[in-house]
């Protein structure tokens, strides 16, 4: 019985995943062969943090690669431990974010990294709207590669975005434009920037629309679907390929809703996910839920890219949009965000991943958990793991908690 | 004809089996070390319990397994020990709202709803601090047998302070306290305080609500009971056989599951 249950597929595969693979495959090939075409096309390669204003970089014809994205791939391909050990042997603490550790490990030993590691950057762009770790991490990279590092400092928002904060960031963006002009030997093309902003708006609205369909019951997508399908909005924001892919995905998801097809069989329990995916256990972990009829209908992590651009001139809009990202905001804001998701998606509960690596995401979770339980009356589970380092994941205790949590929805 | 139900709790250190009847009476219970194969030990223990009660396996209407070894044990259903513990304790102490359970490998705090169901829970993770294992390691470093701990601790006048939560570091801390001439009783009292403070903060995190029941193997240790009572500032209710409460809950659930299936 156990075996046949194991084999039973409680996942409905997405047809659009072929396009996803093609789109991402092309992006990785392009990125990894950058040394052959970059100079020729006068397109420098930047390593950027996930919260960097890439629209501006794209307007300068800069090709962006994301160490965080590569680190997630390292993890899904079981390379993180080896790479982290390289970084740890070089003196980096085990307490450092595992994306940073595995990226640094990959820089030191590209032979151990999937895809042969990342191609050498011409410049680095870090924005601390996601965390403070990226500043020191990128400083290390800047020293190692001896390339310019551009930093965008976005002040933490305890409440709403203030005029001073916005002006402070805007000033830095103006300075960044000057720096980029020097680095690329090009003037900023305002028209191109506006065009990039509009493409970015388009892709974002497709991602928002797709996610909204998950308010249906059964939900057409589950958390692993959301995590896998967020890749293009991270790395191909503002590109036509990205938009084409999200049109396909949107159409397929809409069709699922029309046909009342759920992402999992027999959806019984609807949950909201908080924090980065557990990449090394992407399927085995979420299967503990799906086999009991529990579906993650939405999440805060991949939802981080489902945010509309703020109004104003392109640079003003970038200043506000990138400062207002949820990781740069108060626990109160984040609690409200979860409360709204639970209400909007009619969720029965929520699960928080206390992620050893990501301190800004995880440290305040217990406070948020209490507040959300109090406000919504639905139960919330806390799981301790790491987004990339499997050494911080203990399967049995996790299974135990998940089971106990799901039992609270039954009549036991 | 009377119906019988069995609850099996295969923990990391011990296996417990409880037999109840339809009338919710505890007819028998056995416990022993889990050893290498908790499943085999549990199978033997269940057979022994039935033999002692003069029952054939056919007379058992349903069995529920819980604990770390629950998945492999042949039972009608496997249920997590959090749900079982809640069931057992709310049966024994209907007024309970908070359960503190310190077992061999983990410690947990369960918040009960007024209807006896699980409202919320917190568990320690990937760390032996605040568990039975921590106490065992420290007791063996001091060459003290488990049952002596309570007595020794009660004679302590100046408990030492164990500052490290880490079992390995705490052990070396103890060794240096021994060589500095501290009394065994004082060191042990320090160890109990350390376990209690870890668990007390977990309890406060989950939310402290009366009545509080302390269960699991460590609840037999008077040293920890007293330290925890002092730290929480509330009296703790302890069942005379705190080790079997999850197995009892499993047996009670076996009865419910059987009833709802007919
Ligand atoms: S600490 Fe968190 S936000 Fe910062 S790089 Fe690591 S995972 Fe990303």
């Amino acid at each position: 019985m156990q075996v046949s249950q194991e084999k039973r597929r409680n996942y409905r595969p997405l047809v659009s995943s072929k396009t996803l693979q093609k789109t991402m495959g092309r992006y990785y090939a392009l990125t990894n062969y950058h040394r052959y075409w970059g100079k020729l096309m006068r397109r420098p390669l930047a390593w950027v943090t996930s919260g960097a204003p890439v629209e501006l970089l794209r307007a300068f014809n800069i090709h962006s690669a994301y160490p965080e994205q590569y680190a997630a791939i390292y993890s899904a391909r079981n390379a993180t431990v080896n790479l982290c050990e390289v970084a740890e042997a070089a003196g980096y603490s085990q307490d450092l974010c595992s994306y940073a550790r595995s990226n640094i490990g990959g820089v030191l030993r590209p032979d151990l990294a999937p895809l042969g590691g990342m191609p050498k950057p011409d410049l680095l762009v870090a924005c601390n709207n996601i965390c403070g770790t990226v500043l020191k991490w990128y400083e290390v990279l800047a020293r190692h590669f001896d390339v310019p590092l551009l930093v965008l400092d976005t002040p933490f928002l305890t409440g709403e975005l203030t005029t001073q904060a916005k002006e402070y960031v805007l000033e830095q963006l103006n300075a960044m434009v000057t720096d980029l002009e020097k680095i690329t030997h090009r003037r900023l093309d305002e028209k191109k920037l506006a065009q990039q902003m509009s493409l970015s708006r388009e892709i974002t609205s497709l991602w928002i629309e797709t996610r909204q369909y998950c308010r249906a019951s059964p939900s057409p997508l589950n958390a692993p679907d959301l995590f896998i399908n967020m890749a293009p909005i991270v790395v191909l924001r503002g590109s036509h390929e990205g938009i084409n892919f999200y049109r396909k995905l949107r159409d397929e998801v809409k069709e699922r809703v029309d046909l009342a097809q759920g992402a999992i069989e027999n959806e019984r329990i609807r949950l909201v996910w908080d924090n980065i995916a557990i990449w090394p256990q992407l399927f085995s972990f979420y299967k503990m839920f799906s086999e009991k009829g529990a579906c993650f209908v939405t999440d805060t992590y991949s939802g981080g890219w489902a945010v509309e651009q703020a109004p104003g001139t392109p640079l003003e809009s970038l200043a506000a949009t990138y400062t207002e990202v949820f990781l740069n905001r108060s626990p109160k804001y984040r609690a409200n965000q979860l409360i709204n998701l639970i209400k909007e998606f009619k969720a029965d509960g929520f699960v928080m991943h206390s992620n050893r690596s990501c301190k800004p995401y995880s440290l305040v979770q217990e406070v948020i958990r209490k507040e959300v339980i109090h406000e919504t009356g639905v139960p919330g589970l806390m799981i301790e793991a790491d987004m990339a380092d499997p050494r911080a994941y203990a399967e049995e205790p996790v299974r135990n908690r998940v089971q106990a949590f799901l039992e609270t929805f039954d009549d036991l | 004809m009377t119906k019988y139900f069995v609850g099996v709790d295969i923990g990391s250190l011990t296996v417990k089996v409880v037999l109840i009847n339809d009338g919710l009476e505890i007819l028998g219970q056995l416990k022993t070390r889990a050893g290498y194969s908790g499943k085999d030990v549990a199978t033997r223990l269940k057979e022994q319990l039935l033999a002692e009660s003069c029952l054939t396996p056919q007379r058992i209407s349903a069995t529920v397994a819980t604990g770390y070894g629950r998945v492999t044990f042949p039972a009608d259903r496997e249920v997590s020990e959090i749900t079982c513990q809640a069931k057992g304790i709310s049966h024994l102490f209907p007024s309970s709202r908070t359960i503190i359970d310190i077992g061999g490998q983990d410690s947990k705090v369960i918040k009960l709803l007024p209807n006896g169901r699980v409202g919320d829970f917190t568990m320690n993770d990937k760390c032996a601090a605040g568990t039975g294992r921590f106490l065992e390691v420290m007791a063996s470093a001091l060459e003290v047998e488990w049952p002596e701990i309570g007595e020794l601790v009660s004679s302590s006048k100046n408990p030492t302070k164990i500052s490290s939560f880490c079992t390995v570091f705490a052990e070396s801390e103890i060794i240096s306290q021994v060589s500095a001439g501290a009394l065994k009783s004082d060191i042990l009292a320090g160890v109990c305080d350390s376990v209690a403070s870890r668990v007390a903060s977990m309890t406060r995190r989950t939310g402290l609500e009366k009545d509080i029941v302390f269960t699991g193997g460590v609840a037999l240790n008077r040293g920890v009971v007293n330290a925890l009572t002092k730290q929480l500032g509330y009296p703790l209710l302890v069942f005379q056989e705190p080790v079997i409460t999850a197995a009892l809950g499993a047996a009670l659930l076996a009865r419910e599951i059987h009833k709802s299936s007919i």
Side-chain angles (χ1 to χ4, degrees):
Chain A
M1 202 184 98
Q2 206 106 35
V3 176
S4 68
Q5 277 217 332
E6 281 279 335
K7 275 196 182 151
R8 209 188 65 201
R9 179 175 233 152
N10 30 17
Y11 259 98
R12 198 182 294 285
L14 284 157
V15 180
S16 58
S17 69
K18 280 214 183 72
T19 315
L20 174 69
Q21 273 164 17
K22 252 213 306 289
T23 312
M24 291 308 292
R26 199 169 161 266
Y27 167 76
Y28 289 124
L30 251 174
T31 308
N32 277 35
Y33 289 114
H34 176 264
R35 60 182 178 279
Y36 298 117
W37 57 266
K39 279 236 162 60
L40 238 98
M41 313 268 295
R42 289 185 58 223
R43 294 194 59 186
L45 176 74
W47 284 16
V48 304
T49 62
S50 61
V54 276
E55 290 83 356
L56 183 60
L57 303 183
R58 289 186 78 96
F60 277 101
N61 238 347
I62 290 168
H63 185 76
S64 301
Y66 293 74
E68 293 155 71
Q69 168 86 11
Y70 272 77
I73 292 179
Y74 296 169
S75 174
R77 300 209 185 161
N78 294 324
T80 303
V81 173
N82 282 343
L83 294 172
C84 284
E85 279 171 1
V86 171
E88 285 155 19
Y92 295 92
S93 161
Q94 268 208 24
D95 291 320
L96 179 63
C97 158
S98 53
Y99 279 174
R101 255 180 305 145
S102 56
N103 171 258
I104 292 170
V107 167
L108 298 175
R109 286 288 307 273
D111 56 310
L112 296 178
L115 308 171
M118 292 183 70
K120 193 183 165 309
D122 300 306
L123 77 152
L124 302 159
V125 182
C127 178
N128 63 356
N129 53 0
I130 51 169
C131 68
T133 301
V134 294
L135 297 179
K136 291 293 153 193
W137 173 10
Y138 277 60
E139 279 174 16
V140 167
L141 295 175
R143 279 197 296 272
H144 179 89
F145 290 111
D146 194 19
V147 293
L149 164 63
L150 310 186
V151 170
L152 186 65
D153 176 30
T154 49
F156 183 80
L157 301 183
T158 50
E160 290 307 311
L161 176 65
T162 58
T163 324
Q164 294 97 307
K166 193 171 155 185
E167 268 161 20
Y168 171 66
V169 179
L170 187 59
E171 212 169 280
Q172 295 175 67
L173 280 173
N174 280 319
M176 193 180 266
V177 168
T178 314
D179 287 339
L180 289 173
E181 287 181 336
K182 268 192 215 131
I183 292 169
T184 59
H185 309 294
R186 273 197 190 101
R187 305 282 306 165
L188 170 65
D189 181 343
E190 306 261 358
K191 258 217 325 268
K192 194 155 180 201
L193 178 59
Q195 195 187 7
Q196 282 301 323
M197 297 293 285
S198 129
L199 287 170
S200 179
R201 268 198 300 278
E202 192 172 347
I203 201 166
T204 306
S205 74
L206 283 165
W207 185 229
I208 294 175
E209 190 187 347
T210 307
R211 302 172 67 81
Q212 294 289 344
Y213 283 118
C214 298
R215 289 191 293 189
S217 179
S219 168
L221 298 175
N222 187 15
D225 302 315
L226 294 168
F227 299 149
I228 290 172
N229 285 295
M230 68 185 266
I233 196 151
V234 180
V235 303
L236 291 170
R237 198 152 70 250
S239 76
H240 290 286
E241 306 97 282
I243 290 173
N244 286 341
F245 164 69
Y246 283 109
R247 283 209 186 106
K248 281 206 173 123
L249 179 68
R250 188 261 329 261
D251 292 345
E252 187 176 2
V253 169
K254 181 177 183 310
E255 189 181 306
R256 279 189 175 186
V257 173
D258 291 341
L259 299 172
Q261 286 182 338
I264 68 164
E265 270 175 27
N266 307 322
E267 176 188 295
R268 254 175 359 104
I269 304 164
R270 295 168 64 82
L271 300 171
V272 177
W273 175 262
D274 184 57
N275 214 309
I276 302 179
I278 303 178
W279 296 115
Q281 269 84 21
L282 190 61
F283 289 101
S284 64
F285 176 79
Y286 296 98
K287 191 167 168 240
M288 289 187 223
F289 292 87
S290 61
E291 66 189 4
K292 296 265 163 63
C295 181
F296 287 97
V297 296
T298 192
D299 74 308
T300 55
Y301 170 48
S302 65
W305 282 266
V307 179
E308 275 164 15
Q309 275 170 19
T313 65
L315 287 187
E316 277 168 6
S317 168
L318 288 176
T321 309
Y322 284 97
T323 307
E324 284 175 326
V325 302
F326 72 100
L327 276 182
N328 201 37
R329 309 196 70 158
S330 66
K332 181 87 202 136
Y333 177 92
R334 283 178 46 195
N336 283 338
Q337 187 190 23
L338 258 179
I339 292 165
N340 291 337
L341 287 178
I342 288 167
K343 289 186 181 154
E344 203 186 314
F345 286 76
K346 296 198 178 59
D348 308 298
F350 62 102
V351 178
M352 298 182 124
H353 164 203
S354 172
N355 181 352
R356 189 184 155 87
S357 270
C358 190
K359 282 79 179 173
Y361 216 146
S362 308
L363 281 179
V364 285
Q365 272 176 317
E366 190 53 37
V367 176
I368 297 174
R369 192 179 80 96
K370 285 236 174 72
E371 168 91 11
V372 175
I373 292 176
H374 181 76
E375 284 298 316
T376 60
V378 305
L381 172 71
M382 183 83 83
I383 291 289
E384 288 178 40
D386 189 277
M387 65 206 174
D389 190 344
R391 294 172 298 180
Y393 182 79
E395 167 115 349
E396 259 323 293
V398 167
R399 183 176 292 283
N400 219 352
R401 287 166 192 221
V402 170
Q403 185 174 351
F405 176 69
L406 293 177
E407 280 165 2
T408 62
F409 296 97
D410 293 332
D411 269 338
L412 284 181
Chain B
M1 200 162 61
T2 319
K3 286 187 170 166
Y4 300 96
F5 307 93
V6 172
V8 179
D9 176 6
I10 307 176
S12 59
L13 288 181
T14 49
V15 175
K16 308 84 163 173
V17 181
V18 170
L19 173 72
I20 63 166
N21 64 12
D22 232 356
L24 301 177
E25 284 171 289
I26 302 178
L27 303 177
Q29 41 129 325
L30 286 173
K31 55 175 186 283
T32 188
R33 284 249 149 198
Y36 169 69
S37 167
K39 179 191 161 196
D40 294 347
V41 172
T43 311
R44 248 183 291 124
L45 217 58
K46 182 180 167 185
E47 283 166 6
Q48 189 187 334
L49 184 59
L50 296 190
E52 282 175 13
S53 317
C54 303
L55 290 172
T56 58
Q58 290 75 24
R59 293 296 313 278
I60 305 302
S61 299
T63 300
V64 163
T66 187
Y68 277 97
R70 68 186 181 280
V71 190
T72 50
F73 189 81
D76 296 281
R77 179 127 176 214
E78 44 117 348
V79 178
S80 75
E81 70 249 34
I82 292 162
T83 306
C84 288
Q85 199 63 269
K87 195 86 219 166
I89 294 296
S90 57
H91 171 74
L92 294 167
F93 302 97
S95 62
S96 57
R97 290 293 173 273
T98 307
I99 304 173
I100 300 173
D101 171 18
I102 312 188
Q105 170 165 304
D106 55 33
S107 42
K108 44 185 158 308
V109 178
I110 306 170
K111 211 168 153 173
L112 291 178
L113 301 173
N115 63 6
R117 297 186 47 179
V118 177
D120 195 8
F121 61 86
T122 314
M123 280 173 90
N124 79 316
D125 209 348
K126 294 170 275 180
C127 176
T131 69
R133 187 72 89 188
F134 181 85
L135 271 176
E136 269 199 347
V137 171
M138 302 313 142
S140 91
L142 292 168
E143 294 180 341
V144 173
E145 289 298 320
W146 184 252
E148 301 167 40
I149 298 179
E151 192 136 340
L152 267 170
V153 167
S154 60
S155 70
S156 158
K157 301 247 165 1
N158 291 308
T160 62
K161 189 136 189 62
I162 314 288
S163 49
S164 179
F165 277 146
C166 164
T167 310
V168 177
F169 291 168
E171 194 179 355
S172 47
E173 230 179 301
I174 281 179
I175 291 165
S176 58
Q177 288 180 357
V178 170
S179 42
L183 292 175
K184 234 182 214 187
S185 55
D186 288 341
I187 302 177
L188 268 177
V191 169
C192 292
D193 280 342
S194 153
V195 171
S197 84
R198 178 86 173 189
V199 176
S201 70
M202 204 159 91
T203 312
R204 281 189 217 101
R205 187 141 65 94
T206 319
L208 196 72
E209 207 183 325
K210 286 195 294 181
D211 288 344
I212 308 166
V213 179
F214 185 16
T215 195
V218 176
L220 285 169
N221 183 309
R222 274 197 357 250
V224 179
V225 176
N226 293 339
L228 194 55
T229 309
K230 209 155 76 201
Q231 298 209 16
L232 291 176
Y234 287 109
L236 302 175
L237 306 175
V238 182
F239 180 53
Q240 77 253 21
E241 286 280 0
V243 181
I244 65 148
T245 48
L248 171 65
L252 293 165
L253 281 168
R255 180 176 161 274
E256 282 182 16
I257 288 164
H258 175 72
K259 272 176 111 181
S260 64
S261 71
I262 49 175

